[in-house]
Amino acid sequence: MNLKSIIQAGNPILKQRSIDVPLDKINTAEIQSIIDDLIFTMQQVHGAGLAAPQIGVPLRILCYGFDYNPRYPKASAIPLTVLINPVILSFSEEVTDEFEGCLSISTLRAEVPRYKKIEVKAYDRIGNEIIKKVQDFEAKVVQHEIDHLDGILFVERIKDFTHFGFTAELQKQGVIP
Ligand code: NI
Protein backbone atom coordinates (compact mmCIF):
# COMPACT_ATOMS: atom_id res chain seq x y z
CA MET A 1 0.00 0.00 0.00
CA ASN A 2 1.11 3.50 -0.77
CA LEU A 3 0.78 6.89 0.84
CA LYS A 4 -0.99 9.07 -1.72
CA SER A 5 -0.97 12.83 -1.75
CA ILE A 6 -4.31 14.45 -0.91
CA ILE A 7 -5.78 16.42 -3.81
CA GLN A 8 -6.40 20.01 -2.69
CA ALA A 9 -9.43 22.20 -3.36
CA GLY A 10 -9.01 24.02 -6.64
CA ASN A 11 -8.19 20.80 -8.50
CA PRO A 12 -11.09 19.96 -10.86
CA ILE A 13 -10.92 16.27 -9.84
CA LEU A 14 -12.71 17.28 -6.63
CA LYS A 15 -15.56 18.90 -8.56
CA GLN A 16 -16.56 15.96 -10.75
CA ARG A 17 -19.05 13.20 -10.05
CA SER A 18 -17.19 9.94 -9.51
CA ILE A 19 -18.42 6.78 -11.20
CA ASP A 20 -19.76 3.55 -9.72
CA VAL A 21 -17.40 0.62 -9.29
CA PRO A 22 -18.69 -2.28 -11.43
CA LEU A 23 -19.65 -4.98 -8.90
CA ASP A 24 -17.66 -7.68 -10.71
CA LYS A 25 -14.54 -5.52 -10.35
CA ILE A 26 -14.63 -5.06 -6.55
CA ASN A 27 -12.52 -8.15 -5.92
CA THR A 28 -9.88 -7.31 -8.51
CA ALA A 29 -6.32 -6.48 -7.48
CA GLU A 30 -6.73 -2.99 -8.96
CA ILE A 31 -9.74 -2.02 -6.82
CA GLN A 32 -8.38 -3.76 -3.71
CA SER A 33 -5.12 -1.84 -4.10
CA ILE A 34 -7.03 1.47 -4.41
CA ILE A 35 -8.90 0.61 -1.19
CA ASP A 36 -5.64 -0.28 0.61
CA ASP A 37 -4.06 3.02 -0.49
CA LEU A 38 -7.16 4.97 0.56
CA ILE A 39 -7.21 3.45 4.06
CA PHE A 40 -3.44 3.74 4.53
CA THR A 41 -3.43 7.37 3.42
CA MET A 42 -6.40 8.26 5.64
CA GLN A 43 -4.67 6.71 8.64
CA GLN A 44 -1.31 8.33 7.94
CA VAL A 45 -2.82 11.83 7.75
CA HIS A 46 -5.28 11.24 10.63
CA GLY A 47 -8.38 11.67 8.53
CA ALA A 48 -11.77 10.78 9.97
CA GLY A 49 -12.71 9.70 6.46
CA LEU A 50 -11.38 9.85 2.93
CA ALA A 51 -12.99 9.53 -0.49
CA ALA A 52 -11.25 8.05 -3.55
CA PRO A 53 -11.37 11.28 -5.60
CA GLN A 54 -9.24 12.89 -2.86
CA ILE A 55 -6.39 10.57 -3.89
CA GLY A 56 -7.09 11.19 -7.56
CA VAL A 57 -9.31 8.17 -8.25
CA PRO A 58 -12.75 9.15 -9.63
CA LEU A 59 -14.56 6.06 -8.33
CA ARG A 60 -17.37 5.86 -5.76
CA ILE A 61 -15.32 4.45 -2.89
CA LEU A 62 -14.92 5.95 0.57
CA CYS A 63 -13.50 4.87 3.88
CA TYR A 64 -13.75 6.16 7.41
CA GLY A 65 -13.08 5.15 10.99
CA PHE A 66 -10.53 5.62 13.76
CA ASP A 67 -9.82 4.72 17.38
CA TYR A 68 -8.84 8.26 18.35
CA ASN A 69 -8.73 11.18 15.95
CA PRO A 70 -6.55 14.18 16.86
CA ARG A 71 -8.45 16.34 14.35
CA TYR A 72 -11.71 15.60 16.20
CA PRO A 73 -10.60 14.84 19.77
CA LYS A 74 -14.13 14.65 21.13
CA ALA A 75 -15.35 12.11 18.57
CA SER A 76 -15.91 8.54 19.79
CA ALA A 77 -14.15 5.64 18.08
CA ILE A 78 -15.71 4.37 14.85
CA PRO A 79 -14.79 0.98 13.33
CA LEU A 80 -12.89 1.11 10.04
CA THR A 81 -15.49 1.00 7.28
CA VAL A 82 -15.30 0.92 3.49
CA LEU A 83 -18.37 1.87 1.43
CA ILE A 84 -18.48 1.26 -2.31
CA ASN A 85 -21.22 2.86 -4.45
CA PRO A 86 -22.99 4.25 -1.34
CA VAL A 87 -26.57 5.51 -1.64
CA ILE A 88 -28.49 7.29 1.12
CA LEU A 89 -31.83 5.48 1.43
CA SER A 90 -33.40 7.69 4.09
CA PHE A 91 -32.56 10.43 6.54
CA SER A 92 -33.93 11.89 9.73
CA GLU A 93 -35.86 15.13 9.81
CA GLU A 94 -33.47 16.32 12.46
CA VAL A 95 -30.49 18.25 11.20
CA THR A 96 -27.56 19.33 13.36
CA ASP A 97 -24.93 21.98 12.69
CA GLU A 98 -21.41 21.20 13.80
CA PHE A 99 -17.92 22.22 12.80
CA GLU A 100 -16.27 20.02 10.23
CA GLY A 101 -13.14 20.14 8.17
CA CYS A 102 -11.63 18.42 5.17
CA LEU A 103 -8.17 17.17 4.28
CA SER A 104 -8.60 18.81 0.87
CA ILE A 105 -9.24 22.21 2.54
CA SER A 106 -7.11 21.45 5.52
CA THR A 107 -6.73 24.82 7.24
CA LEU A 108 -10.45 25.72 7.33
CA ARG A 109 -13.35 24.63 9.49
CA ALA A 110 -17.01 25.59 9.29
CA GLU A 111 -20.35 24.67 10.75
CA VAL A 112 -22.33 22.66 8.24
CA PRO A 113 -25.86 21.28 8.61
CA ARG A 114 -26.07 17.49 8.25
CA TYR A 115 -28.84 14.97 8.85
CA LYS A 116 -28.51 13.50 12.34
CA LYS A 117 -29.32 9.96 11.20
CA ILE A 118 -29.14 8.33 7.79
CA GLU A 119 -29.64 4.88 6.34
CA VAL A 120 -27.12 3.99 3.67
CA LYS A 121 -26.86 1.11 1.22
CA ALA A 122 -23.46 0.22 -0.17
CA TYR A 123 -21.10 -2.65 -0.92
CA ASP A 124 -18.25 -3.59 1.38
CA ARG A 125 -14.74 -4.31 0.15
CA ILE A 126 -15.50 -7.94 -0.64
CA GLY A 127 -18.63 -7.03 -2.57
CA ASN A 128 -21.34 -7.84 -0.03
CA GLU A 129 -24.32 -5.52 -0.02
CA ILE A 130 -24.70 -3.77 3.30
CA ILE A 131 -27.41 -1.52 4.72
CA LYS A 132 -26.30 0.57 7.67
CA LYS A 133 -28.03 3.02 9.95
CA VAL A 134 -25.57 5.62 11.18
CA GLN A 135 -25.98 8.66 13.36
CA ASP A 136 -24.22 11.65 14.89
CA PHE A 137 -20.53 12.03 13.99
CA GLU A 138 -20.51 8.88 11.83
CA ALA A 139 -23.54 10.16 9.89
CA LYS A 140 -21.76 13.48 9.30
CA VAL A 141 -18.63 11.73 8.04
CA VAL A 142 -20.63 9.53 5.64
CA GLN A 143 -22.55 12.55 4.28
CA HIS A 144 -19.29 14.53 3.91
CA GLU A 145 -17.57 11.68 2.05
CA ILE A 146 -20.55 10.92 -0.21
CA ASP A 147 -20.54 14.63 -1.08
CA HIS A 148 -16.93 14.15 -2.28
CA LEU A 149 -18.16 11.40 -4.62
CA ASP A 150 -20.63 13.92 -6.04
CA GLY A 151 -18.03 16.66 -6.42
CA ILE A 152 -19.34 18.72 -3.49
CA LEU A 153 -17.01 20.27 -0.90
CA PHE A 154 -18.17 21.03 2.64
CA VAL A 155 -17.70 24.77 2.19
CA GLU A 156 -20.54 24.67 -0.37
CA ARG A 157 -22.85 23.49 2.43
CA ILE A 158 -22.14 26.42 4.77
CA LYS A 159 -25.31 28.28 5.69
CA ASP A 160 -23.92 30.60 8.37
CA PHE A 161 -20.58 32.21 7.59
CA THR A 162 -20.29 33.58 11.14
CA HIS A 163 -19.26 30.02 12.08
CA PHE A 164 -16.36 29.67 9.68
CA GLY A 165 -12.63 30.24 9.95
CA PHE A 166 -9.09 28.95 10.04
CA THR A 167 -8.66 25.90 12.25
CA ALA A 168 -5.83 27.45 14.28
CA GLU A 169 -7.74 30.68 14.94
CA LEU A 170 -10.96 28.87 15.87
CA GLN A 171 -8.92 26.77 18.32
CA LYS A 172 -7.31 29.92 19.74
CA GLN A 173 -10.77 31.40 20.23
CA GLY A 174 -11.92 28.23 21.99
CA VAL A 175 -14.64 27.59 19.38
CA ILE A 176 -13.34 24.12 18.44
CA PRO A 177 -11.16 21.71 20.48
NI1 NI B 1 -13.37 16.05 2.89
Side-chain angles (χ1 to χ4, degrees):
M1 57 195 83
N2 300 298
L3 178 62
K4 298 292 187 179
S5 53
I6 308 281
I7 306 280
Q8 295 297 295
N11 188 315
I13 289 174
L14 294 177
K15 291 305 303 160
Q16 67 188 37
R17 189 180 190 282
S18 293
I19 60 169
D20 279 329
V21 180
L23 298 184
D24 61 353
K25 296 281 195 298
I26 290 177
N27 283 299
T28 61
E30 184 194 356
I31 296 296
Q32 292 297 315
S33 154
I34 290 167
I35 294 168
D36 287 340
D37 291 349
L38 191 65
I39 293 170
F40 183 68
T41 302
M42 174 183 76
Q43 291 174 337
Q44 290 295 307
V45 299
H46 304 294
L50 195 62
Q54 291 180 278
I55 59 166
V57 177
L59 291 173
R60 299 184 78 80
I61 304 172
L62 63 85
C63 68
Y64 63 89
F66 50 85
D67 292 327
Y68 168 76
N69 192 293
R71 286 166 52 79
Y72 301 97
K74 289 188 172 169
S76 307
I78 298 175
L80 179 63
T81 304
V82 173
L83 300 181
I84 298 170
N85 304 346
V87 176
I88 295 177
L89 297 177
S90 63
F91 44 82
S92 60
E93 280 182 29
E94 193 180 349
V95 170
T96 55
D97 291 74
E98 279 175 48
F99 274 91
E100 59 186 73
C102 180
L103 294 167
S104 294
I105 316 176
S106 57
T107 56
L108 297 177
R109 295 286 178 101
E111 255 186 26
V112 176
R114 300 284 187 190
Y115 297 111
K116 186 173 169 59
K117 297 178 184 176
I118 58 171
E119 186 176 34
V120 60
K121 177 175 101 75
Y123 295 88
D124 66 14
R125 70 172 298 169
I126 55 170
N128 292 322
E129 186 181 291
I130 46 175
I131 293 180
K132 279 174 84 75
K133 286 181 176 159
V134 296
Q135 59 185 9
D136 300 319
F137 190 80
E138 184 173 2
K140 290 174 195 300
V141 172
V142 172
Q143 289 168 81
H144 177 114
E145 302 309 334
I146 290 178
D147 268 356
H148 275 303
L149 306 182
D150 292 328
I152 297 166
L153 298 171
F154 82 100
V155 290
E156 297 170 63
R157 300 281 192 196
I158 300 171
K159 293 280 189 284
D160 178 358
F161 276 91
T162 63
H163 295 151
F164 166 74
F166 289 104
T167 308
E169 184 62 27
L170 291 164
Q171 285 169 334
K172 200 169 112 188
Q173 298 295 331
V175 176
I176 59 171

